[in-house]
């Protein structure tokens, strides 16, 4: 079987969907499934040639919709080489173009690949309700009426990463009538085993780290991630407790909101900003932490959450992280609402645990990963979904 992935960008800095693709492809290859990718990145992008699978970069896109006139001709010329097409993401030109191209192709061909849309949380009602997204929510309403409902309802199926995402998608827009809804699952490759190089790489990146376990936030620095709630809760605890683990915030801050967050955290010497961590330094951050924290307002899956679980780290998360039910059920972390008061309670509850309780939760954390979120399980569930 051969699958084509259609996505706006495969730049590793984008995280999310492109990282999910990179996680899945090696495991699918073990099952006899070959994958290739077409995207809108420039032909000289520095990441090209570093992956084990073929990426067709057809050049950059124009305007906020990411229009690229080369995509439809490329798809029409190449559909015949694939058994299935997976379109990753919505609200940009590539999803509209893929469905439009498939309609054209099917008019002249008796056989054509199945086409599926994987929205990666982009049908979550949060995006239509968040106060800071009013203009984008209005744009989405317009796009939905003009293009996106035809994409969603015209595909052979919609692939969701978990049951929670599937259920939430039904509540966002009128005229939502997909032909098929599929809980395709999601997972990550096992993390590398811990070794001294991880700790060394992390320490070099974070020279102010005291060498003791800490709270870790590792994600994009974005309004929806709740990092402001985390910092405010931490500052409140600092006033109440004489000793507190350091809070390490790993993520790019070279943008307007990042500067706001830097200013919010600069009053504490115990809040450290590392910028983006990759490779050994990233795994060092996971392994040297005592708990991973993400009080997000919306998180479709949360790859970093699962990476923490796989590193035997309890996760302190909001119930807007769509895999919270599995984590709470198996006691691999603590779950609260996504507001300042409950984020404070999230940290305080963890700090109230004995070392025995913390160790037990750490054991539960890796069990959650092994039971629900390995890439092998996800690959089998994915294939079952598109080949029932």
């Amino acid at each position: 079987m051969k699958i084509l992935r259609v996505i706006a960008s495969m730049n590793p800095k984008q995280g999310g969907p492109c990282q999910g693709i990179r996680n899945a492809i090696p495991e699918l290859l073990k099952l006899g499934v070959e994958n290739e990718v077409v995207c809108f990145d420039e032909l000289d992008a520095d990441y090209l040639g570093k992956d084990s699978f073929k990426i067709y970069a057809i050049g950059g896109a124009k305007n906020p919709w990411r229009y690229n006139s080369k995509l439809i001709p490329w798809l029409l010329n190449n559909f015949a080489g694939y058994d299935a097409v997976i379109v990753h993401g919505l609200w940009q030109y590539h999803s509209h173009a893929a469905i439009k191209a498939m309609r054209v192709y099917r008019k002249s061909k008796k056989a054509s690949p199945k086409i599926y849309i994987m929205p990666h949380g982009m049908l979550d009602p949060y995006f239509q309700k968040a106060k800071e997204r009013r203009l984008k929510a209005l744009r989405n309403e317009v796009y939905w009426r003009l293009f996106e409902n035809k994409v969603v309802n015209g595909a052979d199926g919609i692939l969701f990463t978990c049951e929670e995402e599937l259920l939430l998608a039904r509540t966002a827009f009128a005229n939502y009538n997909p032909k098929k809804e599929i809980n395709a699952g999601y997972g990550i490759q096992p993390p590398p085993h811990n070794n001294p190089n991880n700790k060394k790489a992390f320490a070099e990146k974070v020279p102010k780290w005291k060498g003791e376990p800490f709270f870790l936030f590792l994600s994009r620095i974005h309004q929806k991630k709740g990092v402001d709630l985390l910092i405010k809760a931490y500052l409140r605890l600092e006033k109440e407790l004489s000793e507190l683990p350091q809070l390490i915030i790993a993520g790019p801050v070279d943008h307007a909101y990042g500067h706001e967050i830097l200013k919010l955290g600069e009053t504490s010497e115990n809040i450290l900003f590392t910028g983006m961590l990759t490779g050994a330094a990233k795994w060092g951050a996971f392994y040297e932490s005592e708990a991973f924290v993400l009080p997000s307002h919306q998180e479709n899956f949360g790859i970093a959450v699962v990476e923490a679980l796989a590193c035997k780290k309890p996760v302190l998360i909001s119930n807007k992280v769509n895999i919270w039910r599995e984590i709470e059920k198996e006691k691999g972390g603590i779950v609260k609402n996504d507001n300042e008061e409950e984020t404070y309670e999230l940290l305080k509850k963890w700090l109230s645990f004995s070392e025995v309780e913390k160790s037990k939760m750490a054991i539960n954390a890796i069990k959650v990963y092994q039971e629900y979120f390995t890439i092998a399980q996800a690959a089998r569930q994915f294939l079952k979904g598109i080949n029932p």
Side-chain angles (χ1 to χ4, degrees):
M1 186 178 186
K2 191 173 183 180
I3 294 175
L4 174 67
R5 311 275 182 157
V6 184
I7 189 170
S9 175
M10 282 296 288
N11 188 333
K13 292 181 180 179
Q14 298 290 328
C18 71
Q19 183 58 47
I21 290 172
R22 287 186 168 93
N23 286 338
I25 284 179
E27 198 64 35
L28 287 168
L29 190 60
K30 295 177 185 177
L31 300 174
V33 181
E34 183 181 353
N35 285 258
E36 295 181 344
V37 178
V38 61
C39 62
F40 290 166
D41 293 324
E42 298 292 352
L43 280 66
D44 60 351
D46 58 5
Y47 76 84
L48 290 175
K50 297 179 181 179
D51 292 289
S52 61
F53 52 92
K54 180 67 179 178
I55 296 177
Y56 298 97
I58 61 173
K62 300 177 181 178
N63 63 47
W65 195 34
R66 304 293 301 274
Y67 174 77
N68 187 316
S69 62
K70 297 177 182 178
L71 182 58
I72 288 179
W74 191 96
L75 292 171
L76 292 173
N77 288 332
N78 289 278
F79 273 146
Y82 302 97
D83 301 294
V85 176
I86 314 295
V87 181
H88 292 266
L90 293 169
W91 310 118
Q92 294 181 336
Y93 176 72
H94 71 285
S95 60
H96 164 72
I99 291 294
K100 185 175 181 180
M102 187 60 75
R103 286 198 183 113
V104 172
Y105 189 80
R106 287 178 176 176
K107 286 180 181 178
S108 59
K109 305 290 182 182
K110 291 182 179 179
S112 70
K114 294 281 188 179
I115 186 165
Y116 299 94
I117 306 296
M118 196 163 194
H120 292 279
M122 294 181 188
L123 290 175
D124 193 304
Y126 160 81
F127 294 111
Q128 297 306 106
K129 296 177 180 178
K131 292 180 181 178
E132 69 273 12
R133 287 185 51 87
R134 287 173 180 167
L135 288 177
K136 289 183 178 180
L138 179 60
R139 176 207 65 184
N140 285 358
E141 286 285 353
V142 173
Y143 280 14
W144 177 260
R145 293 175 186 179
L146 293 176
F147 308 113
E148 229 63 31
N149 77 89
K150 299 179 181 68
V151 171
V152 169
N153 297 338
D156 293 300
I158 310 298
L159 304 175
F160 297 99
T161 59
C162 60
E163 189 70 15
E164 185 81 355
E165 183 195 2
L166 186 156
L167 296 173
L168 287 171
R170 295 174 179 174
T171 68
F173 296 97
N175 189 30
Y176 170 80
N177 297 298
K179 294 175 183 175
K180 192 174 184 181
E181 295 173 309
I182 302 166
N183 179 2
Y186 218 51
I188 65 164
Q189 296 284 355
H193 293 296
N194 198 12
N195 63 70
N197 288 334
N198 293 333
K199 183 176 181 179
K200 181 182 177 182
F202 174 71
E204 288 174 353
K205 285 282 187 179
V206 193
K208 292 185 179 180
W209 172 46
K210 296 177 181 178
E212 298 174 351
F214 50 86
F215 290 126
L216 174 65
F217 173 99
L218 189 151
S219 186
R220 285 188 302 133
I221 308 299
H222 188 277
Q223 288 95 328
K224 80 163 190 168
K225 300 289 185 176
V227 64
D228 59 323
L229 303 179
L230 174 57
I231 292 174
K232 290 174 182 177
Y234 186 87
L235 292 173
R236 181 175 167 186
L237 282 167
E238 247 188 347
K239 294 176 181 178
E240 299 174 2
L241 302 172
S242 58
E243 291 187 12
L244 198 60
Q246 287 178 294
L247 170 59
I248 292 182
I249 297 175
V253 291
D254 53 346
H255 51 83
Y257 184 70
H259 297 159
E260 289 181 32
I261 292 300
L262 282 171
K263 188 173 182 180
L264 182 63
E266 67 183 5
T267 57
S268 172
E269 294 181 355
N270 286 321
I271 300 177
L272 306 181
F273 293 88
T274 71
M276 185 176 179
L277 296 179
T278 59
K282 168 188 161 180
W283 294 113
F286 279 118
Y287 281 118
E288 297 303 320
S289 68
E290 67 173 73
F292 180 87
V293 193
L294 185 65
S296 186
H297 299 299
Q298 191 279 331
E299 203 70 36
N300 179 51
F301 179 78
I303 287 177
V305 175
V306 178
E307 288 176 332
L309 293 170
C311 292
K312 204 177 178 181
K313 300 300 172 180
V315 295
L316 316 182
I317 61 171
S318 75
N319 58 7
K320 301 304 185 295
V321 177
N322 281 352
I323 57 173
W324 70 269
R325 294 180 191 276
E326 293 87 342
I327 291 164
E328 186 172 69
K329 177 184 175 184
E330 305 297 339
K331 298 180 173 58
I334 306 171
V335 180
K336 296 285 185 180
N337 284 310
D338 58 325
N339 57 55
E340 188 176 335
E341 181 63 30
E342 294 205 34
T343 303
Y344 163 81
E345 292 175 9
L346 196 67
L347 299 181
K348 193 166 185 178
K349 184 173 182 179
W350 169 260
L351 292 169
S352 73
F353 286 172
S354 67
E355 290 304 313
V356 171
E357 289 172 315
K358 290 179 179 179
S359 295
K360 186 175 181 181
M361 189 168 278
I363 292 169
N364 291 340
I366 195 166
K367 286 181 179 178
V368 175
Y369 164 67
Q370 292 168 342
E371 185 170 345
Y372 295 97
F373 303 123
T374 67
I375 196 64
Q377 290 168 312
R380 291 192 295 269
Q381 189 171 336
F382 167 82
L383 286 181
K384 184 178 178 181
I386 66 172
N387 292 306

